[in-house]
Amino acid sequence: MKKISTLIALIVAMNVAAQNSIVVNTKAGKDTISRYIYGHFAEHLGQCIYGGIYVGENNPTIPNKDGIRLDVMQALKKLKVPVLRWPGGCFADTYHWRDGVGPKNERPSILNVWWGNVREDNSFGTNEFLNMCEELGAEPYISGNVGSGTPQELADWVKYTVHPNGSSPMTDLRKNNGRAEPWQVPFWGLGNEAWGCGGNMKADYYANIYRQYATFMTGGGKKLYRIASGASGDDYNWTEVLMKELPKGLYDALGLHHYSVIDWQKKGSATQFSEEQYFITMKQTLLLDELISKHAAIMDKYDPQKTKALAVDEWGGWYDTEPGTNPAFLFQQNTMRDAVLAGSALNIFNNHADRVKMANLAQMVNVLQAVILTNDARIILTPTYHIMEMYTVHHDAALLPVKIISEKYQVGNEVLDAVNASASMDKTGNIHISLVNIDAAKTQEISIALQGETYNVASGRVLTGNTLQQYNSFEQPNAVIPRSFTDATINNNQLKLKIPPHSIIVLSLSPAKQRK
Ligand code: AHR
């Protein structure tokens, strides 16, 4: 018996990778991790808006306020959603905002040509979106129609939403529609994926169009934060052209879209995947670091003071849709793979806080890497939801630089760093460290040297699953939830812990009390 247990201990020991070391400089906080990095995105696509967020004012079975689901709102409030991008996506460049304001029975129906040719009755429009953002405490990011709209239409939309009461026919229209005072709409996107569904434009053509549209957008005394439709993945020429051609006074940020996709032709199941497929998903996710570094290097040439931001306004995992669902609705389940993906991507965004000032997970409810899935009156919170919630500690905190020496995670002949991390100091002086072990099988030992003040571990939370494929279902909604983590030790500012395979840990440290 003893021999067997010794053997098991040996096997377990062999499965614990040697040493990962991290240095956190607690005194070097310079850049703020913008809370907008924790932004979301909701498109008129499948059941994101209709069914997922908005169920209609007269819905007899799903509790709602003004048609907005109360259960979804309650869950989203816990995420402290800082910014919400709407109405698309590809849908944005087909959307004419006037169709979605005024009495609902007079709003025309249109065909949602990008997402399944379904009927869009425009019952969720500008007023509904902006009122919902107010209720949520999220700042709106409206993605304007540049692909099939006009500069006048976009300029009018800005007036309708933010200009002071009584200042124009558009603000009169707003008042007639039940809202006298303007909303706060700081963020405006000028087109979406202009290189693709937003008009198949070339970079220099879009740059000209951008200049035209931006010229006529006036904030009625308020600053508009304008975001140009950015590059797809590694299209560095797009960034180069925009940085060269856009007048500094007409824009504030460039977008960047990158999805973690195994293969656009063979995306694979969201729940039944091999370790090889998982590895590719993670490789695609960690690529964000290189993409951001290279786009940022181009921006540095034209904007060394870093006055312009990079907004990763679409990111996330993209797999095959769930069997039996409309393929055009992009409904996919969400496993521990997605939690590892989200934890790693957010660490990358945090570590690029000097240039990345916004990111928007695609998408909020029922579409792609959603934080919430709904089924009629039921909802579940996905593993990705829990990561977003655990990482709220980083919102607007000072980024602390981390140096990481990581073990390698190998599949076939390829390797990735097994461990990634980011750290920040919040306004009370507490430090938060988010750690991800992407290794599918090995526990990683990590030692973290804290340079600077002396700290104690105040608390820790871990998100892990029995398998990488584990997910929350409507039958088992709490299969994957964060749990308390108490196994970190600290001695002489040297933290030690073991992080299980495919897991995410967030540690909170407080300054040790001053000795008298
Ligand atoms: O998020 C789904 C789609 O992906 C968006 O509509 C589009 O911008 C991107 O290609």
Side-chain angles (χ1 to χ4, degrees):
M1 192 65 183
K2 189 153 184 243
K3 264 194 191 146
I4 294 174
S5 58
T6 318
L7 190 63
I8 291 171
L10 195 66
I11 292 167
V12 170
M14 279 165 60
N15 234 8
V16 175
Q19 195 60 276
N20 299 277
S21 62
I22 298 179
V23 179
V24 179
N25 190 335
T26 67
K27 296 254 184 190
K30 186 164 64 78
D31 297 303
T32 299
I33 297 175
S34 167
R35 65 182 182 281
Y36 303 120
I37 282 177
Y38 292 83
H40 291 258
F41 168 36
E43 180 166 10
H44 287 239
L45 194 179
Q47 296 210 302
C48 184
I49 300 290
Y50 298 109
I53 291 172
Y54 178 79
V55 288
E57 290 79 353
N58 302 320
N59 191 301
T61 47
I62 302 177
N64 68 84
K65 183 169 168 242
D66 300 330
I68 308 288
R69 293 180 74 122
L70 293 179
D71 49 2
V72 168
M73 288 297 282
Q74 193 189 3
L76 289 175
K77 281 182 184 170
K78 292 201 184 120
L79 297 187
K80 303 182 181 160
V81 174
V83 56
L84 179 56
R85 180 173 182 251
W86 172 87
C90 294
F91 179 78
D93 283 294
T94 64
Y95 184 64
H96 300 282
W97 68 270
R98 274 202 187 80
D99 292 346
V101 296
K104 295 203 177 185
N105 57 2
E106 291 173 19
R107 297 184 192 178
S109 288
I110 60 163
L111 210 56
N112 189 334
V113 289
W114 280 111
W115 306 116
N117 283 317
V118 293
R119 184 168 173 267
E120 158 67 60
D121 69 3
N122 281 305
S123 54
F124 186 92
T126 302
N127 290 51
E128 289 76 19
F129 170 65
L130 295 178
N131 291 343
M132 172 193 149
C133 285
E134 279 187 346
E135 172 68 25
L136 198 55
E139 292 177 61
Y141 168 6
I142 289 184
S143 200
N145 180 347
V146 166
S148 70
T150 62
Q152 183 69 55
E153 185 184 0
L154 184 51
D156 283 347
W157 203 1
V158 178
K159 289 197 190 96
Y160 181 83
T161 54
V162 302
H163 275 219
N165 185 19
S167 61
S168 73
M170 286 304 115
T171 58
D172 291 346
L173 178 64
R174 182 180 71 215
K175 194 173 176 192
N176 285 344
N177 290 338
R179 173 84 184 203
E181 293 310 312
W183 292 275
Q184 301 289 330
V185 189
F187 302 110
W188 289 86
L190 282 78
N192 168 73
E193 299 193 348
W195 40 263
C197 65
N200 281 311
M201 301 177 200
K202 292 183 178 169
D204 50 359
Y205 180 76
Y206 172 68
N208 278 331
I209 293 269
Y210 179 99
R211 295 163 68 118
Q212 184 190 1
Y213 273 72
T215 302
F216 298 101
M217 296 168 73
T218 57
K222 282 182 215 128
K223 155 99 183 120
L224 302 177
Y225 188 98
R226 282 171 290 196
I227 302 168
S229 168
S232 170
D234 62 358
D235 183 356
Y236 301 114
N237 178 58
W238 188 271
T239 296
E240 182 89 46
V241 172
L242 294 194
M243 290 304 294
K244 205 186 293 175
E245 301 297 343
L246 300 188
K248 281 224 174 328
L250 286 186
Y251 78 106
D252 299 281
L254 303 186
L256 171 65
H257 289 185
H258 175 68
Y259 285 96
S260 300
V261 187
I262 293 170
D263 176 337
W264 283 106
Q265 307 311 320
K266 280 167 85 178
K267 299 187 199 77
S269 159
T271 53
Q272 288 161 18
F273 52 88
S274 64
E275 187 173 352
E276 285 71 23
Q277 288 173 306
Y278 165 68
F279 188 89
I280 301 172
T281 305
M282 288 318 301
K283 194 171 149 188
Q284 285 298 321
T285 303
L286 299 182
L287 183 63
L288 273 165
D289 189 42
E290 177 184 320
L291 295 174
I292 293 168
S293 301
K294 289 188 173 169
H295 284 289
I298 296 166
M299 295 177 80
D300 285 347
K301 278 199 294 175
Y302 299 91
D303 175 37
Q305 305 300 326
K306 300 188 196 294
T307 61
K308 307 297 170 192
L310 198 57
V312 189
D313 45 11
E314 285 185 33
W315 67 274
W318 192 325
Y319 316 109
D320 288 343
T321 49
E322 283 304 298
T325 64
N326 185 334
F329 285 6
L330 308 187
F331 178 85
Q332 63 188 39
Q333 248 297 356
N334 194 293
T335 65
M336 271 309 299
R337 167 171 64 174
D338 296 286
V340 176
L341 187 170
S344 302
L346 292 168
N347 279 341
I348 292 170
F349 301 149
N350 286 350
N351 288 329
H352 284 281
D354 61 336
R355 191 60 91 171
V356 176
K357 304 289 182 191
M358 187 192 288
N360 306 77
L361 175 64
Q363 296 194 9
M364 194 177 230
V365 188
N366 289 333
V367 169
L368 299 177
Q369 193 174 343
V371 290
I372 297 173
L373 300 177
T374 69
N375 182 346
D376 291 329
R378 293 186 295 173
I379 73 167
I380 48 176
L381 310 179
T382 65
T384 302
Y385 173 96
H386 294 304
I387 294 300
M388 287 300 242
E389 187 272 317
M390 286 165 70
Y391 276 51
T392 54
V393 291
H394 289 308
H395 291 199
D396 285 337
L399 175 72
L400 300 178
V402 291
K403 286 199 192 110
I404 307 174
I405 299 173
S406 171
E407 287 291 316
K408 298 298 171 200
Y409 168 43
Q410 180 164 5
V411 172
N413 293 326
E414 291 200 76
V415 291
L416 294 172
D417 280 349
V419 171
N420 64 72
S422 66
S424 68
M425 183 183 286
D426 69 21
K427 299 210 165 51
T428 69
N430 287 340
I431 288 178
H432 306 281
I433 307 176
S434 42
L435 300 153
V436 182
N437 176 11
I438 73 166
D439 197 304
K442 284 187 193 146
T443 293
Q444 300 287 337
E445 275 183 26
I446 304 182
S447 69
I448 305 173
L450 299 167
Q451 292 180 337
E453 302 292 322
T454 308
Y455 287 87
N456 293 326
V457 180
S459 63
R461 293 166 83 201
V462 60
L463 191 76
T464 191
N466 300 334
T467 65
L468 255 173
Q469 289 79 6
Q470 197 169 20
Y471 59 90
N472 293 331
S473 64
F474 291 97
E475 293 69 40
Q476 282 192 298
N478 294 322
V480 180
I481 52 169
R483 299 183 196 279
S484 153
F485 179 82
T486 52
D487 293 339
T489 60
I490 188 160
N491 268 313
N492 296 326
N493 262 9
Q494 194 77 26
L495 254 167
K496 285 199 189 300
L497 68 144
K498 288 180 188 157
I499 177 166
H502 53 78
S503 302
I504 301 91
I505 289 177
V506 176
L507 294 175
S508 297
L509 315 175
S510 52
K513 293 220 168 62
Q514 299 284 327
R515 282 208 200 103
K516 292 215 171 133

